[in-house]
Amino acid sequence: MTELAAVKAALKTQAVETPSWAYGNSGTRFKVFAQAGVPRDPFEKLDDAAKVHEFTGVAPTVALHIPWDKVEDYAALAEHAKARGVRIGAINSNTFQDDDYRLGSICHPDAAVRKKAVGHLLECVDIMDATGSRDLKLWFADGTNYPGQDDVRSRQDRLAEGLAEVYERLGEGQRMLLEYKLFEPAFYTTDVPDWGTAYAHCLKLGDKAQVVVDTGHHAPGTNIEFIVATLLREGKLGGFDFNSRFYADDDLMVGAADPFQLFRIMYEVVRGGGFTSDVAFMLDQCHNIEAKIPAIIRSVMNVQEATAKALLVDAEALAAAQASGDVLGANAVLMDAYDSDVRPLLREVRQEMGLAPDPMAAYRECGWAEKVAERVGGQQAGWGA
């Protein structure tokens, strides 16, 4: 197989999971701008997600968020997804929107609140069983706002205890993906603030526990690709939540703020074998002012373009330059790949997959936006849902 053929083959196997909440109305704490035709329930979210997969060919799974996507019959929801040509992906838990969680969820000082939070996480595993989902994704808003508010070490003990109980409930082939976040809504201490904390807990739990890297959850200047390389080296990178940030957790479209960073991340993924392993490439974005489905299609394409450039890096030339101490030569190898216009290559890949070469144009011409405009009463996707 030629080098170009190998790149094409790899791109055809790529899978980017889209989030159900990205298809609904969303906004900031100041305002949610409603759009016409947004889904009214999880079934319609799957309908929209199916369109993204139809035109990109690489978005076969859809992440759910509980209780935002709660239904009476999850097996029926999974069948609906299958009928539309997609599958249910990660099940995301929610332990941050209940009044009881004001002082935390599984780290709360009150055992009754901790029991309630763990019960929700166990419910999410039940949903995984019903939908055939592999991954349980956990993000905790737990933390403190003031020094002395709670005992930092005790909160870590409670976290470990709760995670262990949920971990024991996981079935064969299921995984726990632990996400971290620097701050917000906790401002003094956050109970899972960084990759090291998440890694430490996952390492203690076992092979089914993996770390999730949300690309918007880092301090300015953080070298995210170093984190990715380290977690891959340790076999603990479970997946990504792809988005872009300018200032904090902005949840903008992946590749919008710093496409070179996305390329550097994807290069480390390719270099570390993550592209051919079980690393989950998931989007976690809010489309507040742009049209939902086109924004998600564009986001998938952004990931594809960064991946294609990463696959084009001349590994032999790079290794030779590094071994000889050729600093500028090594950097030039990476820059040559990054500067490549991979859009013609991706158009060829799509045509070979039986897809339209331009997913954005194909979606505009399909008439789906006009068809779903008849939907009335679509709800906010997350906060306040």
Side-chain angles (χ1 to χ4, degrees):
M1 184 182 292
T2 66
E3 181 180 346
L4 185 58
V7 169
K8 285 184 175 182
L11 289 168
K12 291 173 185 176
T13 66
Q14 188 169 30
V16 180
E17 184 163 297
T18 69
S20 67
W21 53 95
Y23 295 97
N25 288 322
S26 60
T28 68
R29 68 182 186 275
F30 300 108
K31 173 66 176 176
V32 173
F33 295 102
Q35 295 187 21
V38 298
R40 294 164 292 190
D41 56 44
F43 292 90
E44 290 184 344
K45 292 177 183 178
L46 291 173
D47 293 342
D48 285 358
K51 286 297 172 184
V52 174
H53 183 49
E54 177 183 340
F55 294 113
T56 65
V58 295
T61 58
V62 187
L64 301 185
H65 207 298
I66 307 301
W68 300 346
D69 294 317
K70 205 162 189 175
V71 296
E72 292 186 5
D73 190 339
Y74 289 100
L77 188 65
E79 282 298 315
H80 182 83
K82 183 178 179 181
R84 299 300 185 273
V86 293
R87 305 186 309 277
I88 304 297
I91 303 300
N92 291 253
S93 60
N94 183 320
T95 55
F96 52 86
Q97 275 191 286
D98 193 288
D99 285 345
D100 285 342
Y101 300 143
R102 182 169 59 92
L103 300 179
S105 59
I106 68 172
C107 300
H108 199 288
D110 188 335
V113 176
R114 297 199 299 273
K115 182 178 180 181
K116 174 180 177 177
V118 169
H120 167 67
L121 303 183
L122 295 174
E123 175 194 12
C124 288
V125 181
D126 292 338
I127 294 170
M128 293 168 64
D129 292 340
T131 58
S133 302
R134 179 187 65 174
D135 296 333
L136 170 67
K137 188 134 70 68
L138 307 177
W139 171 72
F140 299 106
D142 293 37
T144 64
N145 280 356
Y146 298 99
Q149 177 183 322
D150 198 0
D151 187 76
V152 173
R153 180 164 176 163
S154 295
R155 293 181 73 89
Q156 288 297 309
D157 292 339
R158 299 168 200 153
L159 174 63
E161 182 180 354
L163 290 175
E165 183 175 348
V166 179
Y167 185 89
E168 289 302 313
R169 169 64 182 80
L170 294 175
E172 188 68 28
Q174 293 179 337
R175 305 189 305 174
M176 171 189 292
L177 303 183
L178 181 59
E179 188 176 345
Y180 58 90
K181 188 174 184 180
L182 179 66
F183 79 103
E184 191 189 40
F187 295 109
Y188 174 61
T189 63
T190 300
D191 291 311
V192 190
D194 51 40
W195 72 272
T197 306
Y199 172 75
H201 282 283
C202 289
L203 189 64
K204 186 174 182 180
L205 287 166
D207 293 341
K208 293 182 179 180
Q210 304 274 299
V211 180
V212 169
V213 175
D214 185 306
T215 52
H217 285 188
H218 302 85
T222 298
N223 190 317
I224 299 175
E225 56 267 34
F226 175 83
I227 298 171
V228 170
T230 302
L231 289 173
L232 276 169
R233 182 174 179 270
E234 297 297 322
K236 279 295 182 183
L237 180 62
F240 289 94
D241 273 356
F242 280 128
N243 54 61
S244 282
R245 63 178 292 279
F246 288 107
Y247 302 107
D249 182 22
D250 303 338
D251 275 352
L252 298 173
M253 289 170 53
V254 59
D258 189 350
F260 184 45
Q261 180 191 66
L262 180 59
F263 161 75
R264 300 193 310 265
I265 290 171
M266 290 310 302
Y267 169 71
E268 292 301 335
V269 170
V270 171
R271 164 68 180 84
F275 191 65
T276 56
S277 68
D278 289 331
V279 175
F281 301 100
M282 300 174 280
L283 302 180
D284 182 13
Q285 304 175 165
C286 291
H287 304 291
N288 301 336
I289 59 175
E290 63 271 33
K292 312 296 180 179
I293 297 176
I296 299 171
I297 290 175
R298 181 66 257 179
S299 298
V300 172
M301 293 172 67
N302 287 350
V303 175
Q304 286 182 299
E305 290 174 14
T307 303
K309 293 180 178 186
L311 289 165
L312 288 174
V313 172
D314 187 335
E316 290 185 7
L318 181 60
Q322 292 169 341
S324 66
D326 185 356
V327 176
L328 294 179
N331 177 253
V333 173
L334 277 182
M335 295 309 300
D336 283 345
Y338 177 69
D339 289 335
S340 299
D341 184 358
V342 296
R343 292 174 297 178
L345 170 64
L346 285 165
R347 284 195 288 268
E348 288 182 20
V349 168
R350 294 185 188 108
Q351 287 176 311
E352 290 174 10
M353 294 173 66
L355 303 170
D358 183 347
M360 294 289 284
Y363 174 72
R364 285 194 300 269
E365 295 166 4
C366 79
W368 183 255
E370 292 75 18
K371 179 178 180 179
V372 299
E374 63 192 32
R375 294 174 181 166
V376 177
Q379 297 299 308
Q380 188 169 333
W383 308 107

